[in-house]
Amino acid sequence: MDARTDHKMELLAPAGGFEQLRAALLFGADAVYLAAEDFGMRARAANFKQEEIAQAVAEAHACGVPVHVACNVQMMESDLRRLPAYFEAIQAAGVDALIIGDMGAFALAKRYAPECALHVSTQASVSNSAAACAWYELGASRIVCAREMTLADIAQMHEEIPPDLELEAFVHGAQCMAVSGRCLISSYLTDRSGNRGHCTQPCRWSYTLEEEKRPDVHFPIEEDGRGTFILNAKDLNMSAHLDELARAGIDSIKIEGRNKKTFYVACVVGAYRRALDGADPQEIEAELRAISHRPYSTGFYFGAPEQASDFDGYEQETLHVADVVACEALKAADRESGDDAAIEWYRLTLRCRNRFAVGDELEVVSPHEPVRSLVIDELAWMLPCEEEGMLYPPESVEVANRSCDLYAIEIPFAVEPGSFVRMRAYRRSARHG
């Protein structure tokens, strides 16, 4: 029997803001994690104002989805004075769980937010059963496994911990070359602490190296004119190994990406949702290669991780061109008679994100469905007029090139609003050099 049938794993999705939250919910997340403006490890994400957390929770709960709030920065003495009121507000907003890495913050959360489950962040680097059990005795209901654990390590730890102590593990997204993200390079070089949520990602930069002669030690370093990217970790992709994760005892699989855009969140969450539901792994792998990513690896799960030492950048096989705003079924009288008269047609209203044109072959990414292709035969620009919320009659055009304007196309299948439209267009870009 498939391990995913025996052991149902939660799909935990990132939400850097309301748009990403709604995409995660629509595309099949079982739970979401987010952060307020303070105390989260992704300070540069949009994040949620503290007064917005209740609305985010309400939207997620309306879909039957719990909300976990990250409170996992390195805590300083000045933070302790603000945490009690913060935890009380988080509990009042209806948050289901707090993700915490600091023992002092953990103790305060237990006191001031007793109704919230307490999850131990990967920042705590829990990598053995003794540490997991110690946190459990303090009140933890879930451990987010240290990034450095192999799959065999996780399976062994699972055998030694209480049966009601859950395990969560990252399965996709960017990785840090430091021990569970506890890095001092950013603080040293830029005075911006990664442990306080302000990492400048210096591990992604290019370096040139000088070393004193060491006759007995060899450091094989290759570099081009820009230097070398020896610290630059590959992205994680465990989509082909979900059965093994389930057999190891993982209860929740986590997608990294609170700094990612809505299109990325939708595509990755949708791919993993379909993978968990039994879709062809090769199809899922193709989906994950279509979106922006660094070279993929399986991290520490099966041995030593790999670095992308040639450059720091991204590659992708598709370009996000539009968001689906609305889908309207057309009456037969709305279309000219012909060989396709018996086919049910639909008018899609699209919000333009990048240029597309008549004759282009596009792909539709929708929740819980394989990617579908379409060719644009006709295109109408829905001109905005001066009166707010009003549109002029559509104007036939050859190209959609006005970002954020609305366009209409007609296609022979329905598409759920909130879906995305993309175009095949391979791109490889370097961030530095």
Side-chain angles (χ1 to χ4, degrees):
M1 181 180 293
D2 191 299
R4 285 167 282 179
T5 303
D6 268 342
H7 182 75
K8 178 174 170 32
M9 293 189 294
E10 172 189 83
L11 177 57
L12 179 56
F18 275 109
E19 288 189 2
Q20 294 91 333
L21 170 68
R22 289 159 186 159
L25 297 175
L26 181 63
F27 278 78
D30 294 315
V32 295
Y33 69 102
L34 50 87
E37 293 176 306
D38 294 321
F39 307 124
M41 286 293 291
R42 297 292 183 269
R44 288 183 292 170
N47 291 317
F48 292 81
K49 296 179 181 177
Q50 189 164 317
E51 59 269 23
E52 294 175 333
I53 298 288
Q55 180 185 341
V57 170
E59 292 190 24
H61 284 184
C63 299
V65 171
V67 175
H68 307 171
V69 170
C71 182
N72 55 348
V73 298
Q74 178 186 13
M75 294 294 174
M76 311 303 287
E77 196 65 31
S78 58
D79 296 321
L80 300 183
R81 293 191 293 272
R82 297 189 294 141
L83 281 175
Y86 174 78
F87 286 140
E88 288 174 343
I90 288 296
Q91 177 171 285
V95 168
D96 298 278
L98 282 158
I99 307 169
I100 299 179
D102 179 86
M103 190 175 294
F106 190 95
L108 290 172
K110 188 175 179 180
R111 183 187 310 170
Y112 292 99
E115 296 175 14
C116 294
L118 298 180
H119 297 175
V120 180
S121 171
T122 191
Q123 303 303 122
S125 287
V126 176
S127 53
N128 61 74
S129 59
C133 290
W135 281 105
Y136 177 77
E137 292 297 324
L138 292 174
S141 61
R142 177 181 292 187
I143 301 295
V144 186
C145 296
R147 293 280 199 136
E148 296 71 35
M149 296 188 74
T150 67
L151 204 57
D153 291 335
I154 293 172
Q156 184 175 0
M157 183 170 77
H158 176 256
E159 293 297 319
E160 303 297 330
I161 63 176
D164 59 338
L165 178 57
E166 297 178 345
L167 295 180
E168 176 183 307
F170 282 92
V171 294
H172 198 91
Q175 299 188 102
C176 179
M177 52 75 63
V179 177
S180 288
R182 296 181 301 168
C183 177
L184 298 176
I185 302 177
S186 183
S187 296
Y188 178 73
L189 294 179
T190 68
D191 200 29
R192 288 174 53 180
S193 172
N195 299 310
R196 296 282 290 169
H198 297 281
C199 184
T200 55
Q201 297 191 340
C203 59
R204 310 294 184 187
W205 301 352
S206 59
Y207 291 89
T208 56
L209 304 179
E210 295 183 5
E211 177 59 76
E212 295 180 1
K213 292 182 179 181
R214 296 187 185 184
D216 300 325
V217 181
H218 178 57
F219 294 92
I221 300 295
E222 296 180 2
E223 60 182 69
D224 57 21
R226 294 176 302 179
T228 181
F229 296 88
I230 58 171
L231 305 180
N232 184 38
K234 290 185 176 181
D235 280 1
L236 179 64
N237 179 356
M238 285 290 287
S239 61
H241 302 283
L242 299 185
D243 286 343
E244 291 133 292
L245 288 163
R247 284 193 291 269
I250 295 298
D251 297 285
S252 178
I253 57 172
K254 188 173 194 173
I255 295 169
E256 183 275 337
R258 284 199 296 112
N259 273 331
K260 296 293 188 180
K261 294 182 179 179
T262 308
F263 175 66
Y264 177 94
V265 171
C267 289
V268 177
V269 171
Y272 274 87
R273 174 76 276 151
R274 295 183 57 245
L276 286 169
D277 292 343
D280 183 351
Q282 291 186 344
E283 181 184 323
I284 300 304
E285 184 71 18
E287 275 299 288
L288 295 172
R289 292 193 180 282
I291 58 173
S292 177
H293 64 280
R294 296 183 181 90
Y296 283 135
S297 76
T298 54
F300 289 84
Y301 284 110
F302 300 105
E306 300 174 348
Q307 308 296 96
S309 57
D310 54 345
F311 86 119
D312 172 33
Y314 298 88
E315 58 187 53
Q316 61 192 78
E317 297 175 0
T318 61
L319 176 67
H320 172 207
V321 297
D323 305 335
V324 178
V325 175
C327 179
E328 174 190 6
L330 297 176
K331 298 178 182 178
D334 292 336
R335 292 192 54 81
E336 297 179 3
S337 60
D339 294 338
D340 61 357
I343 300 175
E344 191 171 5
W345 284 78
Y346 300 84
R347 178 180 291 117
L348 288 191
T349 302
L350 305 177
R351 189 174 304 281
C352 179
R353 297 301 184 186
N354 281 291
R355 182 187 184 280
F356 59 97
V358 171
D360 285 343
E361 182 176 357
L362 305 180
E363 297 177 347
V364 179
V365 182
S366 295
H368 308 286
E369 292 195 45
V371 172
R372 293 171 289 177
S373 297
L374 61 90
V375 176
I376 299 180
D377 295 324
E378 297 178 350
L379 182 61
W381 177 32
M382 302 174 70
L383 292 73
C385 66
E386 293 182 0
E387 188 173 347
E388 184 177 354
M390 301 295 291
L391 298 170
Y392 286 116
E395 175 184 312
S396 180
V397 294
E398 292 295 312
V399 179
N401 57 4
R402 295 176 179 268
S403 181
C404 294
D405 274 12
L406 298 179
Y407 292 82
I409 61 174
E410 295 179 4
I411 62 172
F413 55 84
V415 176
E416 186 171 352
S419 299
F420 296 88
V421 180
R422 69 190 189 192
M423 178 190 300
R424 287 279 151 182
Y426 179 79
R427 296 195 302 170
R428 192 170 192 255
S429 59
R431 294 199 316 154
H432 301 290

